[in-house]
Every structure is written in C-alpha cells, then in structure tokens.
Amino acid sequence: MAAPFSDKAFYAQHFDPKGYLETYYSFSSEKEAEKALITFTLNALHKTFTVGGIKGDTLIDIGSGPTIYQYLSACESFQEIIATDYTDGNREEMQRWLRKEPAAFDWRSIVKYVCELEGDREKWAQKEEKVRRSIKRLLKCDVTQPNPLAPLSLPPADCLLSTYCLEVASKDLPAFRSALKNIGSLLKPGGHLILATTLEFNFFMIGQCRFGCLYLEQEDLEKALKEAGFDIEWLEATRISLPLSSIDVKGLCIVVALKR
C-alpha cells in the first residue's frame, strides 16, 4: 500500500538514525529478511569494487545516512571518501562511529562478513580503521539542488556512490531524473556512478513512523540514467520474496554507469 511521500523536512524532524540502524542492520538470525537485504548490497559492492576493479583517487558518497557498510569495499579502491547526508542526525551518528564513541552502532558483524568475502574474516579491526582513515570529509548534501554540496564547490570526483537515497529523496520520476542530473554534476566525465536503489518501493518503517518513497520500476531507472547522461555498464537486480513487516519493497538493484 502506497504511503504519502515524506519530504526532507519530515526526515529532518522524524528520522531516527539509531532506530533505523537497529531495524535494518542488526545482521542477526532473528532478522533473516532484513539480513538478506543488506547481504545483497554487500555482495554487489564487493563485486563492483574488489572484483570489478573500479578505483581512483576520490569517491563521493551521496546520501550516506548513518551507515558505513557502503565503504567496506570502496575503501580498498579509493584514497579519499567524502561522505554526505542531508540530516544533522545522520551525520552526527556517523561521527560517533568515526570517533569510536561507546554509544556508536556496532558494525562488527557486517564488517566481518565483507572481510570474509575478501578472504580473511579476522581482519575486521584493520578494515574498520581503514574506513575511518579513508573518510576525509563529512558534508551536508541536498540532491534536490543543482549543486548538492552548495555552498561548497568541489573538484569533480572519480566516482559517485549512492545507496538507497534518491528514491527516498524524490517525490516523483521528474524529481528522480533531476536528482540524477544534480549529483552527476559532481562527477568527472568518464567517471563511474555506482547506484543501489529499491524497486517497487512504497514505504519503510522506523518504529511507528512511516516514510513514503518513490515507486520505481527497473525500466524507469534505466531510462532516467540515460536521460541524465549515464551509460549503463552493468546492472544486477533481485526480487524480494521474504516477509518484511517493516518495509514494502519488491526488489533491489545495483547499477554501474559511466558519465558521458
């Protein structure tokens, strides 16, 4: 069932970073469905960076949220990672982990999973430190603006990464296409965009708070990328058949595209 779109003011007021992390990233046997969502993404990012060999100097992550899982493979391929998010709360939550505060979310199970993909589960502590060293800046970002990082103006990046951001920041397909063009302005011509997105997504829950999102089909996604100036190199999608009470979504997709 579709839910009303939740705009950025609603997120700024109601999004609970800790509740979000505990709901979707606990990686426990009691949450097999939620675990399946994150393992698809972790495997796809491993395939993209570690196996696919995408690398460079600077990566900008668009809409980082309060999470760090998206950097576990990327930190092996890029010298500098610039994390960004719209809400103060999400950036503060990430800072807690970067500063190793006692109240920070425990990512160890997910870090160990990625280290196992790379061949050595026991290197998780070194991996965490490498991520911390790689994140050079944490900035405010608004994908609805022509320059999402305004008033800053950064040199174009070698790579853009965005995981499950644009579909929650776009009220309709024109807004989604506009957001793709906006973030594309931050990328070098010939640079890579790595985009993870949901398919046929209506809403997700944090506690009793419902966040409505853009319903996006794969065909819409592919067309929007082409219109925004990207050529798709690789796309992988999966259907979701597991029961999920906290989120209404039918599929996940990851795309690697080149900026024309």
Side-chain angles (χ1 to χ4, degrees):
M1 184 177 67
F5 175 73
S6 302
D7 63 17
K8 56 190 178 184
F10 186 86
Y11 271 85
Q13 183 175 355
H14 297 288
F15 191 86
D16 172 18
K18 188 69 78 175
Y20 172 72
L21 294 173
E22 290 171 352
T23 301
Y24 297 102
Y25 299 96
S26 64
F27 218 66
S28 67
S29 57
E30 292 82 32
K31 292 194 171 187
E32 287 299 333
E34 289 83 355
K35 189 175 178 179
L37 299 181
I38 184 60
T39 53
F40 167 80
T41 312
L42 295 173
N43 279 279
L45 292 175
H46 171 72
K47 183 176 178 180
T48 300
F49 291 110
T50 311
V51 181
I54 291 177
K55 60 185 178 181
D57 294 324
T58 303
L59 177 147
I60 299 176
D61 182 35
I62 302 294
S64 307
T67 65
I68 58 92
Y69 72 86
Q70 65 270 34
Y71 309 132
L72 297 173
S73 295
C75 73
E76 304 295 340
S77 300
F78 288 86
Q79 297 296 315
E80 177 184 29
I81 293 174
I82 299 172
T84 74
D85 198 73
Y86 180 75
T87 74
D88 296 341
N90 281 340
R91 297 195 307 277
E92 288 165 7
E93 185 63 39
M94 188 185 291
Q95 286 283 17
R96 289 188 187 96
W97 184 82
L98 291 171
R99 293 191 295 253
K100 303 184 186 180
E101 294 182 9
F105 186 74
D106 185 354
W107 287 99
R108 278 178 296 178
S109 296
I110 287 176
V111 177
K112 288 178 181 178
Y113 179 88
V114 173
C115 288
E116 191 168 351
L117 291 177
E118 295 176 356
D120 190 349
R121 183 180 175 87
E122 297 311 310
K123 286 189 174 179
W124 65 270
Q126 294 98 307
K127 172 72 81 174
E128 287 196 343
E129 288 311 303
K130 189 160 191 176
V131 171
R132 289 187 174 98
R133 289 196 305 271
S134 298
I135 299 172
K136 306 298 187 185
R137 304 178 79 175
L138 178 51
L139 305 175
K140 188 175 179 70
C141 175
D142 184 349
V143 301
T144 68
Q145 301 302 309
N147 172 12
L149 301 180
L152 296 178
S153 181
L154 300 185
D158 300 302
C159 183
L160 286 185
L161 172 64
S162 187
T163 56
Y164 312 114
C165 165
L166 298 189
E167 67 272 37
V168 301
S170 305
K171 65 179 179 178
D172 52 28
L173 279 172
F176 183 80
R177 289 192 288 266
S178 178
L180 277 172
K181 291 176 183 175
N182 293 342
I183 69 170
S185 70
L186 304 173
L187 182 64
K188 292 178 180 177
H192 283 95
L193 168 67
I194 297 150
L195 181 70
T197 186
T198 51
L199 299 174
E200 300 172 49
F201 188 23
N202 286 310
F203 68 84
F204 69 98
M205 305 287 294
I206 302 177
Q208 299 303 308
C209 193
R210 178 178 295 201
F211 295 84
C213 308
L214 174 64
Y215 186 94
L216 190 68
E217 296 184 349
Q218 186 174 324
E219 183 180 349
D220 300 323
L221 172 63
E222 293 179 21
K223 186 177 179 181
L225 283 163
K226 290 172 184 174
E227 288 182 4
F230 293 99
D231 292 323
I232 296 171
E233 283 195 327
W234 173 71
L235 182 150
E236 182 176 338
T238 186
R239 301 296 292 179
I240 296 170
S241 56
L242 296 164
L244 284 154
S245 59
S246 57
I247 184 170
D248 181 8
V249 61
K250 300 297 187 293
L252 301 177
C253 181
I254 188 161
V255 182
V256 176
L258 276 178
K259 181 179 177 179
R260 286 196 289 273

